[in-house]
Amino acid sequence: MNSRRKFLTSAVALTAGTMLAPAKTFAASPKIKWRMQTYAGPALAEHVIKPAIEAFNRIAGEEMQIELYFADQLVPTGELFRAMQKGIIDAVQSDDDSMASPTEVTTFGGYFPFGSRYSLDVPVLFNQYGLDKIWKEEYAKVGVKHISAGAWDPCHFATKKPLTSLKDLKGLRVFTFPTAGRFLAKFGVVPVSIPWEDVEVALQTGELDGIAWSGITEDYTVGWSKVTDYFLTNNISGAWIGSFFANMDRYNALPDHLKELLGLCLDTSHYYRQWWYWGGEAKLRVEGSDMKLTSIPDEEWATVEAEAHVFWDEIAKESPTKAKIVEIFKKYNDDMEKAGRPYRYS
């Protein structure tokens, strides 16, 4: 793996001008220059962040420009938080879990098992049920500005072998998020942590049996659909919680109109993903030809969801803040169940 990683790093360096296709900047010597790194690789970044940053750069012009870097390009994803906190980079697009945030909210970023069913659940949880206030308070304690959170895709398995029963999960070596891996280990899954750019090779060589990192849109976009054979329609979360962050001092130094412009442009990224993933998940299930769809029976999968609620209670015992967040998830999901169709289908 180390030798392949060196090869991949060299290949990236040689083709930086074409393969990476960084976001355009529109001023040679702006008054303010930021560096932002995303969790996403180049192909995915074309959708989830690059258009928003290019829009910001066009409008801000000589006042400010943001240089965009892709997954692991400046620092490994697991070091993103520390690099931003120290001012090595100015801003980050990631989930809390992947960037190893030392805050009380880290467990809930990324895929909190069965915390959401649909992508719209995430902005409602943040903007109407109080998560936004908690996130901002927790990050302010550690010198980081939490700008905003949004919904990404649901979390599904894409694997080399078909999954048709819970027993098929046992021993499955899977690339996934830390909290999702901690939960899936209860069912015999072996979570594997490697750099994002190594995943495709690891699937080809058999070092990974699959991934539980995304939905089907991302599998096709980044090429994982070419190195896996099956897609499990059951998911462990309806939407990933991802955010934009900035070094607090650098953010506070911005004039108010640039803070507002930054927020508006990043909101366009959240909005883009809402429809891009929602439509893509359906379209590729129907028209995608790379992977065969499989399912685990509902009655079996119901035991996974029941175990998730036990997992929530385990998390709640870790601190008062985590307990407060778990209560918000419980309240929200209870409200959605009581609201009935179309919010929840029993």
Side-chain angles (χ1 to χ4, degrees):
M1 181 62 74
N2 285 336
S3 61
R4 283 194 298 276
R5 191 170 298 149
K6 290 177 182 176
F7 170 78
L8 287 167
T9 302
S10 299
V12 167
L14 287 170
T15 58
T18 54
M19 189 178 81
L20 291 179
K24 293 178 182 177
T25 54
F26 294 85
S29 300
K31 295 177 182 177
I32 302 170
K33 182 184 289 186
W34 272 19
R35 298 198 301 173
M36 172 185 281
Q37 183 170 311
T38 175
Y39 75 98
L44 186 61
E46 289 284 340
H47 294 277
V48 303
I49 181 60
K50 187 179 172 184
I53 297 304
E54 289 186 342
F56 177 88
N57 287 344
R58 277 195 303 272
I59 300 167
E62 294 182 356
E63 283 195 87
M64 181 174 174
Q65 296 285 286
I66 298 174
E67 294 178 348
L68 179 64
Y69 296 87
F70 305 131
D72 304 309
Q73 194 176 356
L74 292 179
V75 298
T77 297
E79 298 176 16
L80 279 175
F81 175 84
R82 294 298 183 193
M84 172 175 51
Q85 186 186 44
K86 293 177 181 178
I88 297 170
I89 54 179
D90 304 294
V92 165
Q93 179 196 36
S94 178
D95 66 283
D96 315 77
D97 210 14
S98 297
M99 71 175 188
S101 166
T103 65
E104 290 288 312
V105 303
T106 298
T107 302
F108 305 95
Y111 291 118
F112 186 55
F114 293 94
S116 62
R117 186 167 297 185
Y118 306 120
S119 58
L120 275 175
D121 290 341
V122 173
V124 175
L125 278 161
F126 273 80
N127 296 307
Q128 294 184 357
Y129 279 71
L131 292 190
D132 186 68
K133 182 174 183 291
I134 296 173
W135 256 246
K136 282 178 168 50
E137 289 174 348
E138 289 301 311
Y139 278 99
K141 294 175 185 177
V142 291
V144 167
K145 172 66 177 178
H146 178 263
I147 300 173
S148 60
W152 274 244
D153 48 343
C155 184
H156 292 260
F157 284 91
T159 55
K160 302 291 289 184
K161 71 173 187 178
L163 304 180
T164 57
S165 173
L166 288 183
K167 68 178 187 296
D168 295 330
L169 299 179
K170 293 181 179 179
L172 204 69
R173 294 163 300 172
V174 170
F175 175 67
T176 189
F177 294 83
T179 298
R182 176 179 166 185
F183 173 68
L184 291 172
K186 294 175 177 288
F187 302 93
V189 170
V190 180
V192 178
S193 179
I194 59 175
W196 187 91
E197 74 269 16
D198 289 348
V199 171
E200 185 171 346
V201 174
L203 286 165
Q204 290 173 309
T205 61
E207 292 168 86
L208 283 176
D209 300 310
I211 52 177
W213 180 268
S214 66
I216 199 168
T217 307
E218 195 160 320
D219 292 335
Y220 273 80
T221 301
V222 305
W224 290 340
S225 65
K226 298 294 185 183
V227 291
T228 53
D229 300 301
Y230 299 94
F231 179 85
L232 182 68
T233 59
N234 314 74
N235 66 50
I236 67 164
S237 175
W240 188 58
I241 298 174
S243 296
F244 292 103
F245 309 88
N247 176 278
M248 185 67 81
D249 290 340
R250 296 304 301 276
Y251 181 83
N252 287 342
L254 295 180
D256 288 344
H257 70 285
L258 287 181
K259 290 177 183 175
E260 186 169 3
L261 175 61
L262 180 63
L264 289 170
C265 288
L266 297 184
D267 278 348
T268 68
S269 174
H270 293 312
Y271 173 66
Y272 183 101
R273 286 188 305 274
Q274 288 272 207
W275 60 261
W276 184 65
Y277 278 125
W278 183 257
E281 297 300 300
K283 182 180 179 66
L284 287 168
R285 285 191 185 200
V286 175
E287 299 179 4
S289 58
D290 291 348
M291 296 185 288
K292 183 178 179 180
L293 303 183
T294 64
S295 298
I296 293 174
D298 289 344
E299 58 272 17
E300 275 196 81
W301 201 250
T303 66
V304 181
E305 186 164 2
E307 185 62 33
H309 291 283
V310 175
F311 182 74
W312 289 12
D313 291 335
E314 293 173 3
I315 297 297
K317 293 176 183 178
E318 294 179 356
S319 76
T321 299
K322 290 180 181 179
K324 182 179 180 180
I325 295 170
V326 167
E327 283 306 308
I328 289 174
F329 274 100
K330 286 182 176 180
K331 165 67 173 169
Y332 177 75
N333 279 278
D334 184 56
D335 286 352
M336 295 300 104
E337 289 290 343
K338 290 176 179 176
R341 298 169 184 266
Y343 299 95
R344 292 292 186 266
Y345 293 79
S346 299

